[in-house]
Amino acid sequence: MVTGTTSFDLILRQARIAGGDAAPVDIGIRGGRIAAVAPNIAATAPEERLDGRLVVPGFVETHIHLDKACILDRCRTEGTLAEAIAEVAAAKRGFTEADVYARASGVLEKAILQGTTRIRTHVEIDPRIGLRSFGALQRLKRDYAWAVDLELCVFPQEGLTNDPGTEELLVEACAAGADVIGGCPYTDTDPNEQIARIFAIARRFDLDIDFHLDFDLDPARMDLDEVCRQAEAQKWGGRVAVGHVTKLSSLPAEALAAKARRLADAGVAVTVLPSTDLFLMGRGHDHDVPRGVTPAHKLLAHGVTCSLSTNNVMNPFTPFGDCSLIRMANLYANIAQAGRPAELADCLDMVTRLPAKLMNLDDYGIAVGNPADLVVLDCRDPAMAVAELAQPLFGLKRGRRSFTRRSPMLHRP
Ligand SMILES: [Zn+2]
């Protein structure tokens, strides 16, 4: 029971919570944290009336490349993965810390305005770029902490064992405060050796791991098997994620179910990147082009932790992007033919609760004691949020208002 003697800095009145009861509740905020979640909190404080609108603890982006965003004016974009890697590799040589900061901050501000409160960004490290992007994003992390918690995942986009000097730089970045270690075995001449070395770095610095993995449509050989094997051997289950894994989209139902059980048993989570996967996969087909997007909602049924994420914004990997995770959830639902209310609600889960689980964020969620990271969506139901691309109206980060978007308005004659 919350009584009038309790004081709050702010009360959100009549909020609906995804996964909670259908009946609206009030959310009381004090000292930047959620202090009460109850119907009709009897206290006087500044308040916002939400009229039953849906509140989420902010969207969670597990996989976005801020360092190489917004470089279309420097690159060709015909649409193959090999071209995208080569074009960015060439452009990257010209990146300065100021340039990376300027482009990344523009993208980060978009993400904040779209209601995202937690982000894992993947940062390229190799002897050409050195630690320039990493340095820019470390600064960005500090400068935007008022609106978003930013994790830096350092990784070797152009390979590790084939690129002398890269491993030393990755270790240097980890020693300098990188939050997560990433990998990219598909560009390495020795994928298994890269996987082993990434696990070794993770153990040395006690870091979670996030691989770019199995990024084509040939399921004959999958690095996923070695990643699962290592996750079990190193007892790193629950601390390993893999992104893309588009090979899974080529598997028949039974084989997919077997891989899903393997992932769940090994504690390996999956991030699907619908926009990039759609743009780059199936380029060899001139008709009946495969979607190339792994059916994440089918993996959920086997207990795999899955997220949907943005990946790239306005570069040769993805010449689109507005950083809206509600749009990504809707795009995924379209591609995956996920239309039942429960499936649509799962799609919202894959841009909120499940990516927070993937990132092992233990203070995420609308519960007493957690930081008051709260985003109000212009809808009343999780499935409808995805179906109708409900827009965020305003958001709080640790109790402080971090952005506002005005509702569109008709001006009748
Ligand atoms: Zn990526």
Side-chain angles (χ1 to χ4, degrees):
M1 184 69 188
V2 181
T3 70
T5 56
T6 313
S7 68
F8 298 99
D9 302 325
L10 175 69
I11 301 172
L12 302 184
R13 299 280 188 194
Q14 297 285 298
R16 266 204 185 83
I17 297 175
D21 293 337
V25 292
D26 294 349
I27 303 172
I29 296 157
R30 184 171 53 243
R33 294 192 174 271
I34 297 169
V37 181
N40 304 312
I41 292 175
T44 309
E47 59 182 53
E48 292 280 353
R49 306 201 70 82
L50 304 186
D51 300 324
R53 288 193 176 81
L54 189 68
V55 179
V56 295
F59 295 113
V60 182
E61 181 94 82
T62 62
H63 191 131
I64 188 168
H65 297 264
L66 297 172
D67 56 348
K68 58 186 178 193
C70 303
I71 54 170
L72 281 177
D73 54 340
R74 313 175 196 184
C75 301
R76 285 187 313 147
T77 307
E78 299 305 315
T80 68
L81 175 59
E83 177 206 52
I85 293 170
E87 286 291 305
V88 172
K92 193 164 54 174
R93 291 172 183 271
F95 289 2
T96 64
E97 202 173 311
D99 168 46
V100 172
Y101 187 93
R103 288 182 288 100
S105 59
V107 175
L108 193 60
E109 288 181 14
K110 275 189 184 171
I112 294 164
L113 287 167
Q114 299 286 9
T116 301
T117 53
R118 318 257 186 147
I119 293 179
R120 173 179 289 177
T121 188
H122 294 247
V123 192
E124 294 191 18
I125 304 278
D126 59 49
R128 275 80 60 202
I129 186 66
L131 300 181
R132 296 198 297 282
S133 294
F134 179 66
L137 297 185
Q138 275 193 309
R139 201 149 54 81
L140 199 73
K141 175 178 173 167
R142 288 194 296 274
D143 292 351
Y144 284 86
W146 55 272
V148 64
D149 296 325
L150 190 59
E151 264 188 12
L152 307 190
C153 172
V154 293
F155 85 110
Q157 171 75 73
E158 296 171 47
L160 182 69
T161 69
N162 51 299
D163 201 357
T166 300
E167 187 164 358
E168 291 78 358
L169 285 164
L170 282 170
V171 165
E172 201 180 325
C174 291
D179 302 289
V180 179
I181 180 77
C184 192
Y186 68 77
T187 54
D188 207 299
T189 47
D190 190 346
N192 282 4
E193 178 61 18
Q194 180 184 126
I195 292 166
R197 290 196 197 177
I198 295 300
F199 269 94
I201 295 173
R203 289 190 72 96
R204 177 170 164 193
F205 291 95
D206 192 22
L207 298 176
D208 290 1
I209 303 175
D210 200 327
F211 285 105
H212 285 71
L213 210 76
D214 290 335
F215 196 15
D216 62 40
L217 300 182
D218 174 12
R221 180 194 173 280
M222 297 187 69
D223 291 327
L224 191 60
D225 300 318
E226 178 63 9
V227 169
C228 288
R229 192 190 70 75
Q230 285 277 17
E232 283 179 337
Q234 310 281 342
K235 299 194 167 39
W236 230 247
R239 304 190 66 181
V240 181
V242 292
H244 296 294
V245 222
T246 48
K247 286 173 187 276
L248 291 176
S249 73
S250 298
L251 292 177
E254 225 168 86
L256 179 69
K259 290 291 183 200
R261 287 192 293 273
R262 181 82 186 98
L263 284 160
D265 288 347
V268 174
V270 171
T271 296
V272 169
L273 306 158
S275 193
T276 305
D277 297 346
L278 277 172
F279 184 66
L280 293 179
M281 293 297 99
R283 285 284 171 163
H285 298 249
D286 66 1
H287 66 287
D288 275 349
V289 179
R291 290 171 165 87
V293 176
T294 281
H297 70 293
K298 293 183 181 171
L299 304 181
L300 295 180
H302 295 278
V304 184
T305 300
C306 294
S307 71
L308 306 171
S309 207
T310 297
N311 197 29
N312 281 291
V313 178
M314 304 303 278
N315 73 12
F317 292 87
T318 320
F320 320 114
D322 59 357
C323 304
S324 164
L325 282 173
I326 200 75
R327 184 178 68 80
M328 208 49 68
N330 176 281
L331 177 63
Y332 173 83
N334 275 264
I335 306 157
Q337 302 174 325
R340 296 189 197 99
E343 292 172 332
L344 289 166
D346 280 347
C347 291
L348 186 69
D349 236 15
M350 287 193 282
V351 291
T352 51
R353 184 180 66 86
L354 290 170
K357 187 176 172 208
L358 180 151
M359 289 169 65
N360 290 310
L361 303 175
D362 54 13
D363 61 352
Y364 176 89
I366 301 178
V368 171
N370 279 348
D373 294 357
L374 299 164
V375 172
V376 179
L377 300 179
D378 197 8
C379 69
R380 287 171 174 76
D381 169 76
M384 292 304 280
V386 174
E388 295 187 320
L389 292 102
Q391 294 304 298
L393 297 176
F394 70 91
L396 310 174
K397 184 66 180 171
R398 287 181 281 276
R400 177 186 172 276
R401 189 181 275 242
S402 52
F403 76 94
T404 303
R405 295 168 73 108
R406 303 252 171 255
S407 280
M409 193 183 296
L410 288 176
H411 298 277
R412 298 183 189 281

PDB file of all heavy atoms in Angstrom, residues 63 65 212 244 273 311-312, ligand 1:
ATOM      1  N   HIS A  63      23.087  -4.262 -30.979  1.00  0.00           N
ATOM      2  CA  HIS A  63      24.028  -4.397 -32.098  1.00  0.00           C
ATOM      3  C   HIS A  63      23.865  -3.222 -33.061  1.00  0.00           C
ATOM      4  O   HIS A  63      22.988  -3.218 -33.922  1.00  0.00           O
ATOM      5  CB  HIS A  63      23.741  -5.732 -32.800  1.00  0.00           C
ATOM      6  CG  HIS A  63      24.778  -6.130 -33.801  1.00  0.00           C
ATOM      7  ND1 HIS A  63      25.353  -7.386 -33.829  1.00  0.00           N
ATOM      8  CD2 HIS A  63      25.344  -5.446 -34.824  1.00  0.00           C
ATOM      9  CE1 HIS A  63      26.220  -7.459 -34.814  1.00  0.00           C
ATOM     10  NE2 HIS A  63      26.223  -6.287 -35.448  1.00  0.00           N
ATOM     11  N   HIS A  65      26.445  -0.183 -35.208  1.00  0.00           N
ATOM     12  CA  HIS A  65      27.797   0.313 -35.517  1.00  0.00           C
ATOM     13  C   HIS A  65      27.752   1.833 -35.632  1.00  0.00           C
ATOM     14  O   HIS A  65      27.431   2.363 -36.695  1.00  0.00           O
ATOM     15  CB  HIS A  65      28.301  -0.290 -36.825  1.00  0.00           C
ATOM     16  CG  HIS A  65      28.444  -1.783 -36.781  1.00  0.00           C
ATOM     17  ND1 HIS A  65      29.650  -2.400 -36.507  1.00  0.00           N
ATOM     18  CD2 HIS A  65      27.547  -2.773 -36.951  1.00  0.00           C
ATOM     19  CE1 HIS A  65      29.478  -3.720 -36.527  1.00  0.00           C
ATOM     20  NE2 HIS A  65      28.207  -3.974 -36.794  1.00  0.00           N
ATOM     21  N   HIS A 212      29.938 -11.564 -34.680  1.00  0.00           N
ATOM     22  CA  HIS A 212      29.272 -11.530 -35.988  1.00  0.00           C
ATOM     23  C   HIS A 212      29.449 -12.937 -36.571  1.00  0.00           C
ATOM     24  O   HIS A 212      30.584 -13.417 -36.672  1.00  0.00           O
ATOM     25  CB  HIS A 212      29.954 -10.520 -36.921  1.00  0.00           C
ATOM     26  CG  HIS A 212      29.641  -9.094 -36.591  1.00  0.00           C
ATOM     27  ND1 HIS A 212      30.121  -8.466 -35.478  1.00  0.00           N
ATOM     28  CD2 HIS A 212      28.902  -8.172 -37.258  1.00  0.00           C
ATOM     29  CE1 HIS A 212      29.679  -7.215 -35.461  1.00  0.00           C
ATOM     30  NE2 HIS A 212      28.943  -7.011 -36.531  1.00  0.00           N
ATOM     31  N   HIS A 244      23.461 -11.830 -36.726  1.00  0.00           N
ATOM     32  CA  HIS A 244      23.141 -12.255 -38.101  1.00  0.00           C
ATOM     33  C   HIS A 244      22.688 -13.722 -38.117  1.00  0.00           C
ATOM     34  O   HIS A 244      21.521 -14.010 -38.153  1.00  0.00           O
ATOM     35  CB  HIS A 244      24.317 -12.070 -39.080  1.00  0.00           C
ATOM     36  CG  HIS A 244      24.728 -10.662 -39.288  1.00  0.00           C
ATOM     37  ND1 HIS A 244      23.909  -9.727 -39.902  1.00  0.00           N
ATOM     38  CD2 HIS A 244      25.875 -10.006 -38.987  1.00  0.00           C
ATOM     39  CE1 HIS A 244      24.547  -8.563 -39.960  1.00  0.00           C
ATOM     40  NE2 HIS A 244      25.726  -8.695 -39.415  1.00  0.00           N
ATOM     41  N   LEU A 273      19.301  -9.053 -37.424  1.00  0.00           N
ATOM     42  CA  LEU A 273      19.482  -7.690 -37.927  1.00  0.00           C
ATOM     43  C   LEU A 273      18.729  -7.548 -39.251  1.00  0.00           C
ATOM     44  O   LEU A 273      19.322  -7.609 -40.341  1.00  0.00           O
ATOM     45  CB  LEU A 273      20.989  -7.427 -38.074  1.00  0.00           C
ATOM     46  CG  LEU A 273      21.738  -7.702 -36.760  1.00  0.00           C
ATOM     47  CD1 LEU A 273      23.204  -7.971 -36.965  1.00  0.00           C
ATOM     48  CD2 LEU A 273      21.522  -6.564 -35.775  1.00  0.00           C
ATOM     49  N   ASN A 311      21.889  -2.666 -36.388  1.00  0.00           N
ATOM     50  CA  ASN A 311      23.160  -2.919 -37.053  1.00  0.00           C
ATOM     51  C   ASN A 311      23.744  -1.664 -37.677  1.00  0.00           C
ATOM     52  O   ASN A 311      24.522  -0.980 -37.060  1.00  0.00           O
ATOM     53  CB  ASN A 311      23.061  -4.042 -38.080  1.00  0.00           C
ATOM     54  CG  ASN A 311      24.428  -4.597 -38.461  1.00  0.00           C
ATOM     55  OD1 ASN A 311      25.340  -4.550 -37.647  1.00  0.00           O
ATOM     56  ND2 ASN A 311      24.581  -5.092 -39.671  1.00  0.00           N
ATOM     57  N   ASN A 312      23.400  -1.358 -38.928  1.00  0.00           N
ATOM     58  CA  ASN A 312      24.043  -0.231 -39.598  1.00  0.00           C
ATOM     59  C   ASN A 312      23.036   0.825 -40.014  1.00  0.00           C
ATOM     60  O   ASN A 312      21.864   0.534 -40.251  1.00  0.00           O
ATOM     61  CB  ASN A 312      24.814  -0.722 -40.818  1.00  0.00           C
ATOM     62  CG  ASN A 312      26.149  -1.338 -40.426  1.00  0.00           C
ATOM     63  OD1 ASN A 312      27.047  -0.642 -39.978  1.00  0.00           O
ATOM     64  ND2 ASN A 312      26.274  -2.653 -40.555  1.00  0.00           N
TER      65      ASN A 312
HETATM   66 ZN    ZN B   1      27.262  -5.760 -37.151  1.00  0.00          ZN
END
